[in-house]
Amino acid sequence: MMVRAADAGPSIFRHAAVWSLRALLAVVVLGTFAATPPDAPRLTLGLEVGRGALHGDFTSVGWLGAALTAMLHDASGFGALTGFCGLTIVVALALVEMRARTRAGEVLSLVAAVVAAFAFLDFMHVCAAALVVVLERATGYRILFAIPIAVVWCNVSPDGVLAAPLATLVALGRTFEGGLRSRRTQIAWLAAAGCTLAMLATPLVAAYPAAALEAARFDRDLLGIVALNPRDVAPMGYRSAFLAIVLFFGVAGVRGRRIEDTLLLVFAVALTFVNGAALPLLAIVGVPVMAYTLSKVAPQFYAPPSRRGGWTDALIAGVAIVLAFGFAAGSNTKVRAPWPERVSPAALIAEAAAGGRSHRLFCATIEWCDYALSYPNLSAFADGRLERLTLAGRDAQRSVMRARAGWKATLAAAHVDTILARRGDALSSLLSLDPGWDLADADAAAVLYVRSGASR
């Protein structure tokens, strides 16, 4: 029988090194988040939806997360928003590492946290990480704490619709392992039922599940309207071979693994292939499993978590978080050049809104129309709120984007008088040859056309 090298007792030097690296990871994550340009259309949409929620409009999926984003931004600007978002990412990574630590020890769990960081979690995923921790580690009726977490998650983000299937898969796995008569299994099913009912605890009530699935883009019918492939929506995770690493260790470690782990991993992988933006959930679910597999393949790297120096650990963590938060909040990277002036085609949208006349706007890249929410005189044919786009609207969006037969009639029926097309695509080329449309402005990525006679 192989003896683990660390069984003689954890080294204080190893423990100090691990905690120092944890602190460094927190600083790196927050610093990277502060220095990375924001997803400007998504941020615009969040700010406008959030401001609407603060004034009583709770009809949008994820209204609570958007309201929090708007409050932080409007109160303290990008500094506070960046610091808060980065801090929640660090918390999510800490929860992932916590799950890995009980399975693989404190060294491999640190490796797991580093790997998970390449999935580029955002501040919405702290709810997912907390839910999985409670479902996995809570004993007895404490697992029911998953229900309020699910309620918060459903109101914060459309991804909250995943709380119910995650809890159900955990209950199903425990059913296979312990049977329905097991008290542990019965309580798990109670938690799953509560997480399912949590979807009704939003302002949309029964309409939430369907709307959330659309808003979270878990519908392959949206292909061709928005990007869904991992290499397009999660390029860092794709290029860093994150997906391949998790899949390899996920398959390699099937033997001896709990059934609920396998079910959760298969579910997360399937979601990632539906929409690459689900890659962070795969990190939350799969990375601790990867660490467990490593501990079995290379037991010499297993180092049992130390019980020493709890207050010292807390002090190190606190100092690291304060320093990292201060760095992120004080970053001038985004403040020096406000994001609407740095990204395409925000300036073209502002140009379309100039003059105050009302316009109906079509965007070849649907997220571009999120900028239009900032201007009351612009009405978008469709924007990033995909849950509001009907099946007919999807067909119309695709038809015009690709300049299919009848695209002119589609625009006329929708009273569109302004188009933002991608530079060099078929739609832009056809508009440049059409005497019914005038070139208004252009930048490196987009071209703005206005229907002849529709003065700005």
Side-chain angles (χ1 to χ4, degrees), residues 128-204:
L131 181 78
V132 175
V133 166
V134 171
L135 290 173
E136 178 182 282
R137 299 190 60 180
T139 57
Y141 285 101
R142 292 186 182 88
I143 196 175
L144 298 183
F145 281 114
I147 298 173
I149 294 174
V151 170
V152 172
W153 192 12
C154 288
N155 284 277
V156 163
S157 167
D159 290 346
V161 73
L162 301 178
L166 289 173
T168 300
L169 289 173
V170 169
L172 191 60
R174 292 181 184 179
T175 301
F176 288 139
E177 291 178 344
L180 276 174
R181 294 185 178 181
S182 165
R183 179 172 176 270
R184 185 168 178 261
T185 300
Q186 292 170 354
I187 298 175
W189 278 112
L190 188 60
C195 289
T196 302
L197 291 175
M199 291 190 291
L200 304 180
T202 74
L204 294 178

Side-chain angles (χ1 to χ4, degrees), residues 252-402:
V254 169
R255 206 171 186 181
R257 184 193 305 158
R258 294 179 306 184
I259 295 176
E260 66 186 70
D261 286 339
T262 301
L263 293 176
L264 289 174
L265 186 58
V266 170
F267 177 68
V269 169
L271 280 181
T272 301
F273 282 107
V274 172
N275 182 1
L279 202 64
L281 181 66
L282 180 58
I284 291 168
V285 169
V287 167
V289 175
M290 181 202 76
Y292 172 77
T293 303
L294 278 172
S295 72
K296 296 298 182 183
V297 173
Q300 65 271 23
F301 291 110
Y302 180 89
S306 174
R307 296 184 179 181
R308 301 179 186 176
W311 287 106
T312 304
D313 294 347
L315 179 61
I316 295 173
V319 170
I321 292 298
V322 168
L323 290 175
F325 183 85
F327 176 83
S331 173
N332 292 321
T333 304
K334 298 173 184 175
V335 180
R336 281 198 305 269
W339 59 267
E341 300 174 6
R342 300 174 56 204
V343 294
S344 176
L348 299 184
I349 297 285
E351 174 72 11
R357 182 175 175 177
S358 296
H359 292 281
R360 180 74 164 165
L361 175 66
F362 178 90
C363 297
T365 297
I366 199 168
E367 289 89 351
W368 287 349
C369 275
D370 292 346
Y371 295 119
L373 294 173
S374 302
Y375 303 98
N377 62 317
L378 294 183
S379 171
F381 178 84
D383 54 37
R385 296 171 293 184
L386 298 178
E387 68 276 14
R388 303 189 179 191
L389 191 60
T390 64
L391 292 176
R394 294 182 189 184
D395 291 339
Q397 178 75 23
R398 272 189 288 259
S399 174
V400 178
M401 285 172 64
R402 300 175 183 178

Side-chain angles (χ1 to χ4, degrees), residues 414-434:
H415 307 290
V416 170
D417 63 357
T418 307
I419 299 176
L420 197 57
R422 291 185 291 266
R423 180 181 283 275
D425 69 358
L427 178 61
S428 177
S429 299
L430 290 173
L431 288 170
S432 68
L433 299 174
D434 193 326

Side-chain angles (χ1 to χ4, degrees), residues 101 107 173 216 224 235 243 317 416 432:
R101 201 182 316 156
V107 173
L243 182 59
V416 170
S432 68

